[in-house]
Every structure is written in structure tokens, then in C-alpha cells.
Amino acid sequence: MYHLRRLLVATDCTERAQRAEVRAAQLCQQHGIADAELLTVREGAEPDILAMITNTDVDMAREQAATQASLELERRAGMLKDDYGVEFSWHVRFGKTATEIAQRADEIDADLLVIGAHGGNFFSDLLLGNTADRLAHLCRRPLLVVKNGPRQAYQRVLIPVDFSEESHRASQVALALVPDAEITFLHAFEVMFEGKMQYASVPRDVIDHYRMKAREEARTDLDRFIHAVNPENRQAGSAIVFGMPGPAVRDYSKSIQSDLIVLGKHGKSRFEDMILGSVTRDTLEQTECDVLVVPSGDRGLGIS
């Protein structure tokens, strides 16, 4: 079972970044978490630039920049405590954003890392650049990308699955993280060699027969999967759709107006990481709701 005990929020201290901070505070409140931290990463070259502008030495400039950032984090932590009764500590680092965030998550053994997306084109307008994309590859901990201003706890959660161990792990995390949400498991299937059959002018009824058979097999596999990941028999919906995973997730999420999508991230090889990465990028870029990416392996997952 997944246990959410320690949470890290990476923020760039902008107004839009408050979405992630507020969602994190809500999760802390819902799960009774008392160990949470706000982290901001300043560019490594900032002290050098500041020192040149103010005609001071680099160490003093670094201290000034850290102090300024700490004061802002303290202010934000105070607002979160006032609004949600949650205590946040804070930390400032200098360097490459994604690398420093991932390292800090390892240092404090975070069970969940939360960052904010700014909207628009996800990868051109993301918190501190394409930080989420890099973090999804660097970080071995669940990564929650918050796109929307949270008004309530997550209500409708979509879990795309491919029956892999990664999907199993992501489902465990989702069921524990959002115990009161409406859960839907989604599997997208395709018919092997359908394109070649169409090219060879195989009759439509023959192709439909293979598609129906593939759907039935997918339904059986999905029912078995849900039973395995949901031992408490929590009520959950399921859907089988024909098509490629990326577009299927996007379209089905829109149809049910999900407010969270939970994806399992592969990574046993460069090829697998690239394939899942394309689905993850499509989901992050083309869907409007928040996205939780759960990595492979059990490091930082708090699963027992």
C-alpha cells in the first residue's frame, strides 16, 4: 500500500505556482501529513550576475538572493498555514532546476513531488521551462503536475493501464492518494496487423471479427487487473477503447471531465522510456487536467 508521509513542493514563487502549493496543502490536510516542504531553485549563475550588478562578492550576493527567496517562501508557508492549518518548511537551492529538485526529493525521501504548470503550451510555458519533462525522466518518485487551481479534492480520476507492473504500481498510488474520488480504469487496445490487413484489402467483416475478439480479450485482462490492484473491492469504473494510447487517454479524459490522470512510467530500457515518454508528454501537453506520473521501481513510493 502507498503511504503519503512526506511531500515536496517545487515552486518558482509566481502567482500561478500557488496552484501547486494549494493542491499540496489540500493533500497534506486530507492525509494528515505534517512533513512538507516548499522548495525554490534559483539559477546557478544568479549570484554571479547579482554580484556584478551590485559590485559585491559572489558569496554575499548568494546570501542575499537566498535570504530574499527564503522570505518569500516563509510568506507563502504562512498563508498555507492560515488557510489550511498545514506547516511547511522551506528550502532554497542554486543550480539546474530539475536536477536540484530531484536531488532534494531524494535527500528528504519525499513520497510525492508536486510542481505547477502554467497552462497554454505545456512545454513552452511550464514552471521554470520544461522542468516537468526533465523531472519525469530524472526523478524516481511520484510527480504530480498541477495545471488547475484546486477548488476541492480530486473527484474524477482516470487511470490508463497497459497491465504492466508500472500500471499496477500507479494504480496502487492512485487508490491510496484519492480514496474518495470516482476512479475509472482505461485500457486502449489495437488489433495486431490491422493496418496490413486493410492494405491487403481483407474484408471489413473479417477485420471487425478480429477487433471484437481483441476487445473481449482486453476486457477479460482489464477485469483481472482491476481485481488484482483493488483488493478492497472499491467501486471503480472501467473502459475499453480502440486506438492508440495517447489520443485515447486525451479523448476519454475529456469525455468524463476527469480532474486527474495517473500514469505509470516505464523505464527498464531507453526504448521503453521513449515509448512511455511519448504517451506521458501527449497527456501532459494535450489534456487539461492535473497529471500524476508514477515511476518504475519502488524507490520513494512508500509502498509496503
Side-chain angles (χ1 to χ4, degrees), residues 188-254:
F189 77 98
E190 296 181 275
V191 178
M192 188 176 297
F193 306 125
E194 178 170 338
K196 292 184 177 180
M197 286 190 287
Q198 292 176 342
Y199 182 77
S201 300
V202 174
R204 183 72 253 179
D205 60 333
V206 174
I207 296 177
D208 288 343
H209 168 75
Y210 280 108
R211 186 179 290 188
M212 183 177 299
K213 182 178 180 181
R215 181 181 292 275
E216 292 172 353
E217 292 174 350
R219 168 57 62 187
T220 299
D221 290 341
L222 183 58
D223 290 343
R224 186 183 299 117
F225 177 90
I226 294 173
H227 180 73
V229 301
N230 189 21
E232 297 180 1
N233 200 28
R234 174 177 165 185
Q235 187 173 359
S238 62
I240 300 290
V241 297
F242 175 77
M244 297 184 65
V249 171
R250 178 197 63 212
D251 294 342
Y252 199 83
S253 173
K254 186 175 182 179

Side-chain angles (χ1 to χ4, degrees), residues 10 20 27 53 65 68 74 129 132 138 144 157 165 206 229 242 279 299:
L27 289 171
I53 293 174
Q68 182 182 26
E74 182 180 12
L138 281 176
L144 175 61
V157 179
E165 180 59 33
V206 174
V229 301
F242 175 77
V279 176
R299 181 181 178 186

Side-chain angles (χ1 to χ4, degrees), residues 158-178:
L158 180 63
I159 310 177
V161 300
D162 60 4
F163 311 134
S164 65
E165 180 59 33
E166 288 75 15
S167 289
H168 189 285
R169 187 175 293 106
S171 300
Q172 284 185 301
V173 173
L175 289 168
L177 187 66
V178 287

Side-chain angles (χ1 to χ4, degrees), residues 287-299:
T287 61
E288 299 178 357
C289 65
D290 295 358
V291 178
L292 174 64
V293 181
V294 180
S296 59
D298 56 6
R299 181 181 178 186

Side-chain angles (χ1 to χ4, degrees), residues 8 39 91 93-110 113 135 138-141 299:
L8 177 64
L39 167 70
H91 188 72
R93 296 181 78 123
F94 292 85
K96 294 182 178 180
T97 305
T99 301
E100 295 297 331
I101 292 173
Q103 288 179 353
R104 184 59 180 171
D106 287 341
E107 288 173 5
I108 68 172
D109 194 23
L113 174 57
L135 275 174
L138 281 176
C139 191
R140 309 312 305 170
R141 299 169 188 278
R299 181 181 178 186

Side-chain angles (χ1 to χ4, degrees), residues 255-293:
S255 72
I256 67 171
Q257 296 183 314
S258 63
D259 48 17
L260 177 66
I261 299 173
V262 182
L263 295 167
K265 176 184 177 295
H266 294 249
K268 296 177 182 178
S269 71
R270 180 182 295 270
F271 177 75
E272 287 179 328
D273 190 57
M274 178 182 67
I275 294 299
L276 183 72
S278 66
V279 176
T280 302
R281 285 192 295 271
D282 286 348
T283 302
L284 287 169
E285 184 177 21
Q286 299 179 17
T287 61
E288 299 178 357
C289 65
D290 295 358
V291 178
L292 174 64
V293 181

Side-chain angles (χ1 to χ4, degrees), residues 101-166:
I101 292 173
Q103 288 179 353
R104 184 59 180 171
D106 287 341
E107 288 173 5
I108 68 172
D109 194 23
D111 298 305
L112 179 66
L113 174 57
V114 184
I115 66 173
H118 285 176
N121 183 293
F122 186 79
F123 289 103
S124 64
D125 194 24
L126 181 66
L127 161 69
L128 299 175
N130 60 346
T131 302
D133 186 38
R134 293 197 295 271
L135 275 174
H137 289 82
L138 281 176
C139 191
R140 309 312 305 170
R141 299 169 188 278
L143 171 66
L144 175 61
V145 180
V146 179
K147 299 184 181 182
N148 302 301
R151 293 182 292 273
Q152 58 186 347
Y154 290 120
Q155 301 294 305
R156 291 176 296 278
V157 179
L158 180 63
I159 310 177
V161 300
D162 60 4
F163 311 134
S164 65
E165 180 59 33
E166 288 75 15

